[in-house]
């Protein structure tokens, strides 16, 4: 599992995720062992100006990255279809598919389209983020398995509302502080995290932040 933030904040779009992790159940110790990947091992994949990240099996995420890394104009339906049709060794496991996929992509007119896909056993829900004013915001926090999503959404909103104004500097500070505090609440959140920040009307300028 992981901690993922997807948001529109004013004229900025972002996705953020902690570093990759792997899990396996040790039968001798009778516990799940968490292996954190290298600090620089980002879950976020770049694909011709679009960016996406998933929550769930790391091997499945790697397959998704390989398949779409050179694809132009990715849409949420493509990500869902590929994820659903993967042949995974661990069948009937809760971890054999991605449960959420978030996507930042260039849309018509040069603007950024932000969406996320919530995946159930046989279906999916696509949510598209919208803001109506330069000070409006729309976001979702996808939590690890041991934390409450509503609680984390309230926590992130607290940091967003504390910003003196909406600009890239204050957004970076708010997301960094949110991750710094939240990663102390769960063993399933890596100490390192990465995020992509774009201006909605100028998506060719990308800020990649690593902490």
């Amino acid at each position: 599992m992981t901690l993922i933030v997807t948001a529109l904040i004013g004229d900025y779009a972002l996705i953020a995720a902690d570093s990759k992790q792997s899990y396996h159940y040790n039968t001798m110790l009778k516990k799940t062992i968490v292996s954190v990947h290298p600090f620089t091992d980002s879950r976020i994949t770049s694909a011709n100006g679009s960016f996406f990240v998933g929550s769930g099996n790391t091997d499945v995420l790697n397959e998704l990255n390989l398949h779409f890394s050179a694809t132009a104009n990715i849409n949420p339906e493509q990500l869902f279809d590929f994820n659903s049709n993967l042949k995974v060794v661990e069948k009937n496991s809760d971890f054999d598919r991605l449960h959420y996929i978030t996507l930042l992509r260039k849309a018509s007119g040069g603007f950024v389209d932000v969406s996320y896909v919530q995946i159930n056993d046989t279906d999916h829900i696509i949510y598209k983020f919208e803001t109506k004013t330069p000070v409006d915001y729309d976001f979702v926090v996808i939590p690890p398995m041991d934390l409450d999503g509503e609680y984390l959404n309230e926590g992130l909103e607290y940091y967003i509302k504390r910003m003196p104004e909406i600009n890239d500097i204050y957004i970076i500070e708010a997301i960094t502080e949110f991750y710094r505090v939240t990663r102390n609440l769960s063993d399933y959140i890596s100490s390192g995290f990465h995020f992509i920040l774009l201006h909605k009307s100028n998506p060719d300028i990308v800020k990649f932040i690593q902490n």
Side-chain angles (χ1 to χ4, degrees):
M1 296 295 288
T2 189
L3 176 66
I4 297 174
V5 173
T6 309
L8 283 179
I9 305 175
D11 290 326
Y12 294 88
L14 70 92
I15 53 174
D18 61 333
S19 302
K20 290 180 181 177
Q21 300 180 15
S22 299
Y23 307 89
H24 72 274
Y25 187 77
N26 187 303
T27 54
M28 293 183 63
L29 298 177
K30 295 184 178 180
K31 63 183 291 187
T32 298
I33 306 299
V34 180
S35 301
V36 178
H37 290 223
F39 188 86
T40 56
D41 201 354
S42 173
R43 290 177 178 270
I44 302 171
T45 291
S46 172
N48 284 332
S50 297
F51 302 90
F52 63 85
V53 64
S55 171
N57 188 307
T58 299
D59 292 334
V60 176
L61 180 61
N62 290 339
E63 290 289 333
L64 204 72
N65 291 353
L66 287 171
H67 185 80
F68 287 105
S69 61
T71 303
N73 301 318
I74 301 172
N75 64 59
E77 291 287 354
Q78 287 176 294
L79 294 173
F80 167 74
D81 289 342
F82 184 79
N83 178 68
S84 300
N85 293 325
L86 272 176
K87 306 301 181 199
V88 182
V89 176
E90 280 188 82
K91 298 297 286 185
N92 302 318
S93 166
D94 287 341
F95 301 100
D96 65 359
R97 294 289 184 275
L98 299 180
H99 310 302
Y100 297 89
I101 304 172
T102 68
L103 172 67
L104 242 69
R105 68 185 182 111
K106 292 181 183 179
S108 59
F111 283 81
V112 176
D113 178 59
V114 186
S115 58
Y116 87 92
V117 188
Q118 180 176 342
I119 302 166
N120 303 316
D121 291 337
T122 58
D123 202 0
H124 64 295
I125 300 169
I126 295 176
Y127 176 81
K128 292 196 173 183
F129 294 79
E130 294 183 2
T131 53
K132 297 180 173 61
T133 71
V135 295
D136 198 9
Y137 54 85
D138 191 9
F139 67 88
V140 66
V141 178
I142 299 170
M145 63 181 75
D146 59 343
L147 293 181
D148 178 65
E150 184 175 347
Y151 172 75
L152 294 186
N153 274 289
E154 291 174 356
L156 179 57
E157 187 169 29
Y158 167 77
Y159 288 109
I160 292 173
K161 286 183 173 179
R162 284 180 59 191
M163 295 190 303
E165 59 182 283
I166 295 178
N167 61 34
D168 56 345
I169 295 173
Y170 287 125
I171 291 172
I172 291 169
E173 288 180 356
I175 298 299
T176 300
E177 183 65 10
F178 172 73
Y179 263 85
R180 186 189 67 79
V181 172
T182 306
R183 68 190 177 199
N184 294 322
L185 304 178
S186 171
D187 291 335
Y188 294 99
I189 302 175
S190 299
S191 58
F193 76 95
H194 314 83
F195 69 94
I196 299 292
L197 182 66
L198 305 175
H199 194 279
K200 288 195 300 182
S201 61
N202 193 2
D204 291 326
I205 299 177
V206 179
K207 289 183 181 288
F208 177 78
I209 294 92
Q210 174 182 305
N211 279 283

